[in-house]
């Protein structure tokens, strides 16, 4: 990995040695850590033995400094590579973000929509190759520990980072993460092409208060759902590192979760590193206040299993000082530091850093691979295959180029491609307009219009118009007439958020030092400072409100509204609309009118709508709505009215609502699919490619029925196809084709520890197409995807698709036994084209463990309840354990308990105020058999044992524990 750095670092020493050495025969042999013939553990031991205590501590920071005396260069964990090498931070320039200029593939949600692990592996391999190419270009900037893939499950479509994940299903997510990770790693048995990192462990799906919010996840959901997405790629050896997420799970920050050094490493067949998210170690002291000092926090994180601290940007001195303080106070031992170093060094050794030149095949990769023709072709293939056909009434699609020679392509995304936060800079961009023009060639014509209003804003107090300079500069109120300099294009992204593009120079207005300037090609940045609202006032005027991401930060201040000053400069300087400048909104060109004019005489109108990746939710910002922006909806309706032969392309990265009330005959969905988006749109619209993408999330009919985004118990909330009982707008796994398929003769048997299911799949249409055959099981009312196969069939061709599910994979968490169990019983297996359209279920009896009545006579973890109301889960101690946090009026239930006249209730509890736990039978208001008084223990982590005598009860009952005040309950028993 770092041969060039190694050579540069040693060059002076080597030259001196050559001058002084009497002969090559007397040259010192390389140290054992540079000997690739030795076992990895031996090499790591040797290198550690050569490091000073200070050097060992220095390796714990994200930027591991060079150790020149050993010829060791800088190593950095973390190059973003979610759908192509995206960006990195520059060690030599104070951590400045540097964007990559490589191949940009479809967003992760788009890659997943291919349902094609083989293709996803190819994409991962291309990303790994380009990572090596960038590393060869600048090894200090472009590290080979890649921070991808994101495997958080997409349980809620409002999550701002939906575009980064794969699916709401753990099996599909695990398989695709395995494919992407293996592609990145390469196929060499010894060396890694690059090292993928799974993000972000665990139960992380909200951006609001993400560093302080607690994901309260009952054991069954935690083990059967959230953990599985990480467990599958780790067990498959497809990841070399894991990043814990910012949030807390059951009361404990993931940065100090015992899982880091526990089950994560138990799942993986090879050593893995654990790297923190940016700033997360400091959050333990600052926002989370989990520890009083950084020394305590860093020590706890290292002991929990964290190896690399992404903290304080490029400044490793703060982490080093904290770790040294922890060592001096006995909070850590040097053995703890060395243990973390081993994981990090193992990564570096496998990347080939310490091996002689010529040994590592990936070290031969040069920057020539970046954006290669092969990778461009792969980007187009991936973009093609991720497109999902959502509606095709009356065979509106595909378009016939011979009959559709005049096409109108309109809409706010018709002739632009936007980058997202985790995308690199595209080397080229093929927009939908460009793709369709290229497809039609000289035989056809394409009319285009963005379909957005061009307006002028007149200061009603002076009659002067807001004016933008021809070059970048401040917006002023100077124009007396509405010319080009006074013209602004208004883009509606929904939720009241707009962007304004100055016609003067084609750049968007941004907040800068209190003023608005026309300075960027697209909205972007950590704080997206191009977001504005045009707020209508009762008197018919408008005020301009700044709506950038930072307006809710405490340091931003109260001023959000625009005022034209005496000098004519427009500034954001009023705290309310009452004191803001009032504007008249003059529409110079109607967006709907221009789109209708382009569409009315066309053979077909294509309306391209969707999201702006920096505005409609992304890291640090959840969506408040999944509805299509009102102006975009109005555009579709107007264009369809003008031209009934209208189809819609939806370009976004999350499920959107409202399509059931739009009557357009054809709708296709694409993610922001990178540089080849326009080609993919054209390929599918004209039928050059059969639309083979399938949805990886449930598209709900509206936002109205969605629960709080902070509620992670999907069994309670009914989220995802596994638990949803309503009728979705589009179900999980949904997608149409230009041909049709029939599934016949579904057979299911169980033998030799495996369930075998087969189905005959026939292409009943007139053209070749691809079907994603999906296998589901159902047991105890829970539906789960078990396997899938993407098959391409010629017209009338039939193929038998066979699935094999190990019985062990049918295991689910049993709260009674506190472990995963294959329950004996009948499992129903169905095959279909999505989670809602399935074959008749095939029952298969599976031998396993029989259900047992609850035995509460032994100590029972309170978290292992069967039902609850009002309680959450919290940490028993800062290092381990989960307790039930009860409040007044809340309860937990334990079903089917075999009672044999227990005499005493005993419980381990903590409380800050005195309270009671009441034991009831069969309902939260049922018969009281005992009440335990809970005293204040003075500290939430100080537990005491309380007892209560019980009235005699026998037989099978549901036992309820009810709370009349705040109590943390760790364990209990009825004896």
């Amino acid at each position: 990995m770092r041969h060039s750095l190694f050579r540069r670092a040693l060059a002076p020493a080597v030259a001196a040695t050559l001058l002084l050495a009497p002969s090559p025969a007397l040259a010192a042999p390389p140290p054992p850590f540079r000997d690739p013939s030795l076992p990895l553990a031996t090499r790591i031991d040797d290198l550690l033995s050569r490091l000073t205590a200070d050097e060992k501590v220095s390796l714990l920071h994200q930027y591991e400094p060079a150790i020149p005396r050993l010829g060791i260069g800088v190593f950095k964990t973390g190059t973003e590579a979610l759908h192509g090498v995206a960006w990195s931070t520059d060690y030599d320039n104070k951590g400045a973000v540097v964007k990559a200029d490589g191949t940009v593939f479809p967003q992760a949600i788009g890659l997943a929509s291919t349902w094609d692990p083989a293709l996803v592996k190819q994409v991962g391999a291309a990303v790994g190759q380009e990572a090596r190419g960038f590393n060869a270009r600048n090894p200090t900037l472009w590290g080979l520990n890649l921070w991808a893939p994101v495997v958080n499950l997409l349980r809620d479509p409002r999550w701002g980072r939906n575009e980064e994940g794969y699916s709401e299903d753990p099996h599909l997510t695990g398989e695709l993460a395995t494919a992407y990770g293996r592609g990145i790693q390469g196929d060499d048995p010894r060396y890694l092409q690059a090292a993928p990192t799974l993000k972000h462990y665990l139960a992380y799906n909200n951006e609001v208060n993400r560093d302080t919010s607690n994901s309260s996840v009952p054991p069954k959901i935690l083990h059967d759902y959230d953990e599985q997405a990480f467990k599958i790629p780790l067990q498959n050896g497809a990841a070399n590192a894991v990043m814990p997420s910012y949030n807390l799970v059951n009361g404990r920050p993931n940065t100090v979760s015992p899982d880091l050094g526990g089950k994560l490493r138990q799942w993986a067949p090879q050593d893995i590193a654990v790297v923190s998210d940016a700033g997360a170690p400091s959050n333990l002291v600052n926002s989370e206040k989990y520890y009083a000092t950084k020394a305590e926090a860093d020590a706890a994180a290292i002991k929990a299993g964290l190896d690399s601290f992404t903290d304080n940007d490029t400044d490793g001195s703060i982490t080093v000082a904290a770790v040294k303080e922890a060592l001096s106070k006995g909070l850590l031992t040097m053995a703890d530091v060395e243990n973390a170093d081993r994981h990090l060094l193992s990564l570096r050794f496998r990347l080939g850093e310490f091996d002689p030149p010529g040994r590592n095949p990936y070290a031969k990769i040069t920057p020539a691979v970046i954006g290669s023709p092969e990778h461009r072709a792969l980007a187009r293939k991936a973009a093609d295959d991720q497109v999902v056909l959502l509606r095709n009434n009356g065979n509106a699609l595909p378009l016939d180029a011979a009959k559709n020679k005049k096409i109108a392509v309109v809409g706010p995304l018709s002739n632009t491609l936007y980058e997202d936060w985790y995308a690199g800079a595209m080397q080229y961009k093929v927009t939908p307009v460009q793709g369709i023009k290229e497809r039609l060639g000289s035989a056809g014509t394409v009319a285009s219009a963005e379909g957005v209003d061009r307006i002028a804003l007149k200061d009603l107090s002076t009659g002067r118009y807001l004016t933008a300079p021809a070059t970048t500069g401040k917006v002023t109120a100077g124009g007396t007439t509405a010319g080009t300099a006074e013209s602004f294009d208004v883009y509606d992204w929904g939720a009241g958020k707009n962007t304004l593009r100055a016609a003067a120079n084609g750049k968007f207005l941004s907040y800068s030092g209190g003023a608005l300037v026309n300075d960027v090609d697209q909205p972007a940045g950590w704080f997206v400072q191009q977001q504005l609202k045009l707020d209508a006032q009762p008197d018919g005027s408008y005020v301009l409100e700044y709506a950038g991401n930072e307006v809710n930060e405490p340091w931003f201040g109260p001023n959000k509204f625009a005022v034209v000053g005496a000098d004519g400069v427009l500034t954001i300087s009023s705290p309310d609309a009452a004191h803001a400048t009032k504007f008249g909104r003059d529409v110079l060109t109607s967006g709907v009118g221009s789109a209708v004019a382009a569409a009315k005489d066309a053979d077909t109108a294509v309306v391209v709508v969707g999201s702006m990746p920096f505005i409609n939710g992304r890291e640090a910002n959840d969506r408040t709505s999944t509805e299509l922006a009102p102006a975009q909806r109005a555009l579709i309706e107007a264009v369809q009215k003008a031209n009934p032969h209208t189809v819609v392309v939806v370009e976004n990265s999350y499920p959107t609502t409202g399509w059931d009330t739009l009557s357009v005959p054809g709708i296709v969905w694409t993610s922001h699919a990178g540089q080849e988006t326009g080609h993919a749109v054209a390929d599918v619209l004209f039928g050059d490619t059969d639309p083979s993408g399938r949805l990886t999330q449930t598209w709900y009919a509206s936002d109205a029925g969605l629960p709080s985004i902070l509620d992670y118990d999907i069994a309670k909330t009914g989220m995802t196809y596994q638990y949803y009982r309503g009728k979705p707008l589009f179900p999980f796994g949904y997608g149409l084709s230009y041909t049709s398929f029939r599934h016949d003769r579904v057979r299911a048997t169980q033998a030799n520890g495996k369930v075998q299911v087969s189905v005959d799949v026939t292409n009943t249409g007139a053209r070749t197409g691809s079907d994603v055959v999906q296998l589901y099981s159902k047991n105890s009312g829970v539906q789960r995807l078990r396997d899938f196969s993407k098959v391409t069939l010629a017209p009338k061709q039939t193929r038998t698709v066979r699935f094999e599910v190990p019985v062990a994979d049918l295991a689910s968490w049993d709260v009674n036994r506190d472990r995963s169990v294959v329950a004996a019983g009948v499992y129903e297996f169905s095959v279909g084209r999505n989670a809602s359209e399935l074959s008749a279920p095939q029952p298969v009896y599976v031998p396993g463990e029989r259900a047992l009545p609850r035995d509460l006579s032994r100590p029972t973890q309170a978290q292992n309840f069967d039902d609850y109301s009002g309680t959450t889960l919290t940490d028993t101690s800062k290092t381990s354990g989960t307790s039930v946090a009860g409040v007044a009026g809340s309860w937990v239930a334990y079903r089917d308990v075999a009672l044999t006249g227990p005499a005493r209730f005993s419980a381990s509890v903590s409380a800050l105020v005195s309270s009671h736990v009441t034991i009831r039978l069969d309902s939260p208001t049922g018969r009281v058999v005992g009440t335990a008084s809970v005293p204040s223990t003075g500290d939430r982590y100080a537990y005491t044992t309380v007892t209560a005598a019980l009235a005699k009860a026998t037989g099978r009952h549901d036992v309820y524990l009810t709370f009349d005040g705040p109590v943390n309950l760790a364990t209990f028993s009825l004896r």
Side-chain angles (χ1 to χ4, degrees), residues 614-696:
F614 276 84
I615 292 177
N616 295 104
R618 53 139 256 225
E619 184 174 357
N621 294 101
D622 292 317
R623 273 171 286 282
T624 56
S625 172
T626 62
E627 293 181 1
L628 191 66
Q632 296 185 21
R633 182 185 180 91
L635 178 68
I636 294 170
E637 292 174 335
V639 171
Q640 186 187 6
K641 184 177 180 181
N643 186 333
H645 199 231
T646 293
V647 296
V648 173
V649 175
V650 187
E651 184 183 340
N652 68 8
S653 47
Y654 55 91
T656 47
T657 60
W659 302 106
D660 52 334
T661 56
L662 286 168
S663 60
V664 284
I667 305 172
V668 299
W669 174 89
T670 175
S671 71
H672 295 280
Q675 60 202 41
E676 290 287 346
T677 300
H679 278 148
V681 167
D683 289 343
V684 169
L685 289 181
F686 286 95
D688 300 326
T689 297
D690 182 59
S692 63
R694 302 293 185 265
L695 299 179
T696 64

Side-chain angles (χ1 to χ4, degrees), residues 263-288:
K263 61 179 62 176
L264 292 179
R265 291 193 162 106
Q266 293 165 10
W267 291 336
Q270 78 288 324
D271 194 25
I272 61 169
V274 178
V275 301
S276 85
D277 208 337
S282 288
N283 290 345
L284 292 168
V285 176
N286 298 334
S287 59
E288 293 165 350

